[in-house]
């Protein structure tokens, strides 16, 4: 006997549970496009990137401007209906925490076999369509990066590229001395990692500014 599919009502309720209201614009959107905040010790607003901290969630669109407006205009206190304060550097804190979370995610992916590193292996993953992301060390050599970048552009859609971490940072996260070229293989882990990468893109570009001038 085949299992019953979820009823339309159950599906709509599940979808609604994944949507939250941005306290800045009032717009309802998917959780993946938002940052959750809670009131921490002493009534100070803290980011809850994993969405697991206790307390009422205060949701803000995942971009620097929205978080800065919420902090500056006291929108967290208004939404919480309580005397809570947001640090003036809250948006920068979110950026830092997202970067740490992405590095940690790469470490977990390496241990689960969802990453491949090294020029030849990465090139093969891109060519075969198995690469969900190309992750390049920000201080890697231009020549190798250009060759892999050219391969990503042949894909439809092009393989997205992430280049915010230096070789030493990637090496520490992945258990190697220096890691220059890495591919995040397509799958659920890559999808979860991509959510944080997209959220981070609202706070800073995912590529170094100097790369924009490269062909």
């Amino acid at each position: 006997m085949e299992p019953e599919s979820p009823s339309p009502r159950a599906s709509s309720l599940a979808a609604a549970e994944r949507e939250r209201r941005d306290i800045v614009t009032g717009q309802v959107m998917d959780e993946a496009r938002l940052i959750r905040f809670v009131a921490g010790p002493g009534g100070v607003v803290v980011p809850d990137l994993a969405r697991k901290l206790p307390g009422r969630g205060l949701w803000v669109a995942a971009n620097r401007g929205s978080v800065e407006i919420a902090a500056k205009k006291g929108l967290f206190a208004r939404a919480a209906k309580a005397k809570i304060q947001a640090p003036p550097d809250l948006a920068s804190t979110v950026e830092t925490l997202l970067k740490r979370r992405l590095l940690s995610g790469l470490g977990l992916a390496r241990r689960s076999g969802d990453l491949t590193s090294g020029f030849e292996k990465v090139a093969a993953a891109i060519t075969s369509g198995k690469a969900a992301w190309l992750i390049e060390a920000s201080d890697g050599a231009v020549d190798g990066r250009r060759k892999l970048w050219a391969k990503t552009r042949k894909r439809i859609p092009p393989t997205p590229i992430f280049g915010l971490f230096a070789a030493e940072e990637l090496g520490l996260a992945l258990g190697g001395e220096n890691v220059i070229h890495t591919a995040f293989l397509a799958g659920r882990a890559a999808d979860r990692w991509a959510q944080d990468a997209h959220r981070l893109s609202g706070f800073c570009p995912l590529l170094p500014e100097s790369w924009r001038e490269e062909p």
Side-chain angles (χ1 to χ4, degrees), residues 134 136-150 153 161 163 207-215:
L134 169 61
E136 286 286 296
S138 60
D139 53 351
V142 174
D143 184 55
R145 179 168 66 247
R146 282 178 175 170
K147 290 178 180 177
L148 291 177
W149 206 331
R153 291 169 176 164
I161 306 172
L207 300 177
E209 186 174 351
S210 60
W211 291 13
R212 300 176 195 175
E213 301 175 0
E214 295 181 15

Side-chain angles (χ1 to χ4, degrees), residues 35 37 47-49 63-64 67 89-105 162 164-165 169 196-197 199-206:
I35 303 292
F37 296 87
D48 177 24
L49 301 182
N63 63 75
R64 179 175 295 277
V67 175
D89 61 346
L90 185 60
S92 295
T93 298
V94 172
E95 177 184 337
T96 298
L97 293 176
L98 279 170
K99 288 178 179 177
R100 290 179 186 172
R101 184 174 169 87
L102 285 164
L103 266 178
S104 176
F162 187 99
L164 290 186
F165 301 135
E169 292 178 286
D196 284 328
R199 290 198 291 174
L200 178 60
S201 69
F203 295 85
C204 66
L206 300 185

